[in-house]
Amino acid sequence: MNIRPVRQIVPALGTSDGAGVSLRRSIGTPALKHLDPFLMLDHFGSDKPDDYIAGFPDHPHRGFITFTYMLDGHMEHRDSMGNRGDLRAGGAQWMKAASGVIHSEMPRQVDGLMRGFQLWINLPAAQKMSDPDYQEFTPAGIPEVEAEGERVRVLAGEHKGVAGAVRDPNTDVLYLDVSLSAGMTFERPVPAGHNAFTYLYEGDGAVADRPLAAYHLAVLGPGDGFALTAGRAGARFILVAGRPIGEPIVQYGPFVMNTREEIEQAINDYRDGRLVRVRAQMHGA
Ligand code: CO
């Protein structure tokens, strides 16, 4: 295995979104606009209700997938497909907005810790105006693989022969949440042609001998393997990889298309109440 070096380290930037939710953004910032097929990575995490209580009231999406993973806390999701999601600590939600979804994501707690990630995954042109889709997974619905000093939650893709909760046919996304004991090394293959990153959210560590602190994202360089060694307090991180789409990206807020004309269409459709074309039924675990 040829361990991939670190190509770039991106400190997450403090920002706010929704109705004033504090979060840390790494992909989707000036330092790292996109990492094809990934458009954005937000890490929300606070035990101060003022940082999250206003939530994300109704807002639109078109042209991509939102993938939400809850580490702590409780959120309720409602969308234009008629889904009512109950997102709890350890659970995940995969929402293919595609041709158009309007949804809200609101806290179902008034105090305590709220922590998790939202990753935006782009869709190829041929899928952008396809029907929306939705899958939700309870904490027990996320497979776990344990080995000495490590616990791996397989959100998407595959780890040691265990299939993850989500299968993404477009970009073959791998999404693992790894807890690693102090001094231990986690190592596994990552396809050479896929863009890949790791984001460390607890403790510290080193990726291919490059130190990585909490709230920092490391973009991986060429190679076909990944290795991270945890520091003295251990490490918790996500490892994400996907096949790049290689198409033009034109983004305007929550709309991500291939051309300016398609963006104008999305804005007009939203304004005229035509963004939501399809109301589908929920499925999944
Ligand atoms: Co949203």
PDB file of all heavy atoms in Angstrom, residues 93-108:
ATOM      1  N   GLN A  93     -28.500  10.640   7.931  1.00  0.00           N
ATOM      2  CA  GLN A  93     -29.548  10.930   6.957  1.00  0.00           C
ATOM      3  C   GLN A  93     -28.898  11.257   5.623  1.00  0.00           C
ATOM      4  O   GLN A  93     -27.947  12.042   5.564  1.00  0.00           O
ATOM      5  CB  GLN A  93     -30.361  12.130   7.439  1.00  0.00           C
ATOM      6  CG  GLN A  93     -31.445  12.554   6.480  1.00  0.00           C
ATOM      7  CD  GLN A  93     -31.732  14.044   6.617  1.00  0.00           C
ATOM      8  OE1 GLN A  93     -30.859  14.877   6.417  1.00  0.00           O
ATOM      9  NE2 GLN A  93     -32.946  14.365   7.000  1.00  0.00           N
ATOM     10  N   TRP A  94     -29.398  10.595   4.583  1.00  0.00           N
ATOM     11  CA  TRP A  94     -28.910  10.808   3.213  1.00  0.00           C
ATOM     12  C   TRP A  94     -30.081  11.360   2.423  1.00  0.00           C
ATOM     13  O   TRP A  94     -31.126  10.704   2.319  1.00  0.00           O
ATOM     14  CB  TRP A  94     -28.446   9.471   2.658  1.00  0.00           C
ATOM     15  CG  TRP A  94     -27.997   9.424   1.241  1.00  0.00           C
ATOM     16  CD1 TRP A  94     -26.712   9.546   0.790  1.00  0.00           C
ATOM     17  CD2 TRP A  94     -28.803   9.154   0.080  1.00  0.00           C
ATOM     18  NE1 TRP A  94     -26.682   9.394  -0.574  1.00  0.00           N
ATOM     19  CE2 TRP A  94     -27.943   9.162  -1.031  1.00  0.00           C
ATOM     20  CE3 TRP A  94     -30.166   8.936  -0.122  1.00  0.00           C
ATOM     21  CZ2 TRP A  94     -28.405   8.930  -2.331  1.00  0.00           C
ATOM     22  CZ3 TRP A  94     -30.628   8.712  -1.411  1.00  0.00           C
ATOM     23  CH2 TRP A  94     -29.736   8.717  -2.495  1.00  0.00           C
ATOM     24  N   MET A  95     -29.943  12.584   1.952  1.00  0.00           N
ATOM     25  CA  MET A  95     -31.037  13.188   1.202  1.00  0.00           C
ATOM     26  C   MET A  95     -30.536  13.626  -0.167  1.00  0.00           C
ATOM     27  O   MET A  95     -29.688  14.500  -0.287  1.00  0.00           O
ATOM     28  CB  MET A  95     -31.612  14.391   1.944  1.00  0.00           C
ATOM     29  CG  MET A  95     -32.862  14.937   1.262  1.00  0.00           C
ATOM     30  SD  MET A  95     -33.533  16.387   2.088  1.00  0.00           S
ATOM     31  CE  MET A  95     -32.440  17.648   1.434  1.00  0.00           C
ATOM     32  N   LYS A  96     -31.077  12.940  -1.180  1.00  0.00           N
ATOM     33  CA  LYS A  96     -30.739  13.310  -2.560  1.00  0.00           C
ATOM     34  C   LYS A  96     -31.721  14.394  -2.973  1.00  0.00           C
ATOM     35  O   LYS A  96     -32.879  14.110  -3.293  1.00  0.00           O
ATOM     36  CB  LYS A  96     -30.850  12.077  -3.458  1.00  0.00           C
ATOM     37  CG  LYS A  96     -30.497  12.320  -4.898  1.00  0.00           C
ATOM     38  CD  LYS A  96     -30.765  11.031  -5.697  1.00  0.00           C
ATOM     39  CE  LYS A  96     -30.677  11.266  -7.186  1.00  0.00           C
ATOM     40  NZ  LYS A  96     -31.223  10.106  -7.937  1.00  0.00           N
ATOM     41  N   ALA A  97     -31.266  15.651  -2.942  1.00  0.00           N
ATOM     42  CA  ALA A  97     -32.157  16.757  -3.289  1.00  0.00           C
ATOM     43  C   ALA A  97     -32.468  16.730  -4.780  1.00  0.00           C
ATOM     44  O   ALA A  97     -33.592  17.003  -5.195  1.00  0.00           O
ATOM     45  CB  ALA A  97     -31.526  18.086  -2.907  1.00  0.00           C
ATOM     46  N   ALA A  98     -31.438  16.418  -5.601  1.00  0.00           N
ATOM     47  CA  ALA A  98     -31.593  16.330  -7.059  1.00  0.00           C
ATOM     48  C   ALA A  98     -32.448  17.482  -7.585  1.00  0.00           C
ATOM     49  O   ALA A  98     -32.110  18.640  -7.382  1.00  0.00           O
ATOM     50  CB  ALA A  98     -32.117  14.957  -7.462  1.00  0.00           C
ATOM     51  N   SER A  99     -33.602  17.198  -8.237  1.00  0.00           N
ATOM     52  CA  SER A  99     -34.356  18.256  -8.920  1.00  0.00           C
ATOM     53  C   SER A  99     -34.936  19.301  -7.960  1.00  0.00           C
ATOM     54  O   SER A  99     -35.244  20.416  -8.387  1.00  0.00           O
ATOM     55  CB  SER A  99     -35.482  17.642  -9.757  1.00  0.00           C
ATOM     56  OG  SER A  99     -36.352  16.900  -8.934  1.00  0.00           O
ATOM     57  N   GLY A 100     -35.059  18.965  -6.670  1.00  0.00           N
ATOM     58  CA  GLY A 100     -35.504  19.990  -5.742  1.00  0.00           C
ATOM     59  C   GLY A 100     -36.197  19.472  -4.504  1.00  0.00           C
ATOM     60  O   GLY A 100     -37.120  18.661  -4.598  1.00  0.00           O
ATOM     61  N   VAL A 101     -35.730  19.944  -3.362  1.00  0.00           N
ATOM     62  CA  VAL A 101     -36.338  19.626  -2.073  1.00  0.00           C
ATOM     63  C   VAL A 101     -36.345  20.903  -1.241  1.00  0.00           C
ATOM     64  O   VAL A 101     -35.418  21.700  -1.311  1.00  0.00           O
ATOM     65  CB  VAL A 101     -35.531  18.526  -1.334  1.00  0.00           C
ATOM     66  CG1 VAL A 101     -35.918  18.447   0.138  1.00  0.00           C
ATOM     67  CG2 VAL A 101     -35.720  17.163  -1.992  1.00  0.00           C
ATOM     68  N   ILE A 102     -37.402  21.101  -0.488  1.00  0.00           N
ATOM     69  CA  ILE A 102     -37.412  22.137   0.540  1.00  0.00           C
ATOM     70  C   ILE A 102     -37.531  21.410   1.875  1.00  0.00           C
ATOM     71  O   ILE A 102     -38.374  20.513   2.023  1.00  0.00           O
ATOM     72  CB  ILE A 102     -38.595  23.112   0.334  1.00  0.00           C
ATOM     73  CG1 ILE A 102     -38.392  23.892  -0.975  1.00  0.00           C
ATOM     74  CG2 ILE A 102     -38.709  24.085   1.518  1.00  0.00           C
ATOM     75  CD1 ILE A 102     -39.554  24.787  -1.375  1.00  0.00           C
ATOM     76  N   HIS A 103     -36.643  21.733   2.799  1.00  0.00           N
ATOM     77  CA  HIS A 103     -36.688  21.029   4.083  1.00  0.00           C
ATOM     78  C   HIS A 103     -36.296  21.939   5.235  1.00  0.00           C
ATOM     79  O   HIS A 103     -35.777  23.040   5.042  1.00  0.00           O
ATOM     80  CB  HIS A 103     -35.820  19.763   4.048  1.00  0.00           C
ATOM     81  CG  HIS A 103     -34.344  20.007   4.103  1.00  0.00           C
ATOM     82  ND1 HIS A 103     -33.447  19.077   4.593  1.00  0.00           N
ATOM     83  CD2 HIS A 103     -33.595  21.070   3.749  1.00  0.00           C
ATOM     84  CE1 HIS A 103     -32.220  19.567   4.524  1.00  0.00           C
ATOM     85  NE2 HIS A 103     -32.268  20.757   4.018  1.00  0.00           N
ATOM     86  N   SER A 104     -36.570  21.441   6.441  1.00  0.00           N
ATOM     87  CA  SER A 104     -36.130  22.119   7.657  1.00  0.00           C
ATOM     88  C   SER A 104     -35.430  21.099   8.545  1.00  0.00           C
ATOM     89  O   SER A 104     -35.720  19.898   8.479  1.00  0.00           O
ATOM     90  CB  SER A 104     -37.316  22.727   8.409  1.00  0.00           C
ATOM     91  OG  SER A 104     -38.185  21.699   8.854  1.00  0.00           O
ATOM     92  N   GLU A 105     -34.493  21.595   9.320  1.00  0.00           N
ATOM     93  CA  GLU A 105     -33.751  20.760  10.263  1.00  0.00           C
ATOM     94  C   GLU A 105     -33.728  21.547  11.572  1.00  0.00           C
ATOM     95  O   GLU A 105     -33.048  22.559  11.670  1.00  0.00           O
ATOM     96  CB  GLU A 105     -32.320  20.544   9.754  1.00  0.00           C
ATOM     97  CG  GLU A 105     -32.260  19.858   8.379  1.00  0.00           C
ATOM     98  CD  GLU A 105     -31.063  20.305   7.527  1.00  0.00           C
ATOM     99  OE1 GLU A 105     -31.037  21.491   7.116  1.00  0.00           O
ATOM    100  OE2 GLU A 105     -30.173  19.490   7.281  1.00  0.00           O
ATOM    101  N   MET A 106     -34.543  21.089  12.539  1.00  0.00           N
ATOM    102  CA  MET A 106     -34.710  21.874  13.766  1.00  0.00           C
ATOM    103  C   MET A 106     -34.348  21.057  15.006  1.00  0.00           C
ATOM    104  O   MET A 106     -34.692  19.879  15.102  1.00  0.00           O
ATOM    105  CB  MET A 106     -36.167  22.339  13.872  1.00  0.00           C
ATOM    106  CG  MET A 106     -36.623  23.226  12.710  1.00  0.00           C
ATOM    107  SD  MET A 106     -35.660  24.752  12.505  1.00  0.00           S
ATOM    108  CE  MET A 106     -36.195  25.688  13.939  1.00  0.00           C
ATOM    109  N   PRO A 107     -33.667  21.684  15.972  1.00  0.00           N
ATOM    110  CA  PRO A 107     -33.301  20.983  17.205  1.00  0.00           C
ATOM    111  C   PRO A 107     -34.542  20.486  17.941  1.00  0.00           C
ATOM    112  O   PRO A 107     -35.564  21.176  17.972  1.00  0.00           O
ATOM    113  CB  PRO A 107     -32.590  22.047  18.037  1.00  0.00           C
ATOM    114  CG  PRO A 107     -32.217  23.120  17.092  1.00  0.00           C
ATOM    115  CD  PRO A 107     -33.200  23.071  15.971  1.00  0.00           C
ATOM    116  N   ARG A 108     -34.436  19.299  18.514  1.00  0.00           N
ATOM    117  CA  ARG A 108     -35.500  18.762  19.361  1.00  0.00           C
ATOM    118  C   ARG A 108     -34.995  18.685  20.798  1.00  0.00           C
ATOM    119  O   ARG A 108     -35.342  17.777  21.548  1.00  0.00           O
ATOM    120  CB  ARG A 108     -35.917  17.373  18.857  1.00  0.00           C
ATOM    121  CG  ARG A 108     -36.619  17.415  17.525  1.00  0.00           C
ATOM    122  CD  ARG A 108     -38.034  17.928  17.651  1.00  0.00           C
ATOM    123  NE  ARG A 108     -38.903  16.903  18.224  1.00  0.00           N
ATOM    124  CZ  ARG A 108     -40.097  17.143  18.748  1.00  0.00           C
ATOM    125  NH1 ARG A 108     -40.561  18.367  18.780  1.00  0.00           N
ATOM    126  NH2 ARG A 108     -40.810  16.163  19.237  1.00  0.00           N
TER     127      ARG A 108
END
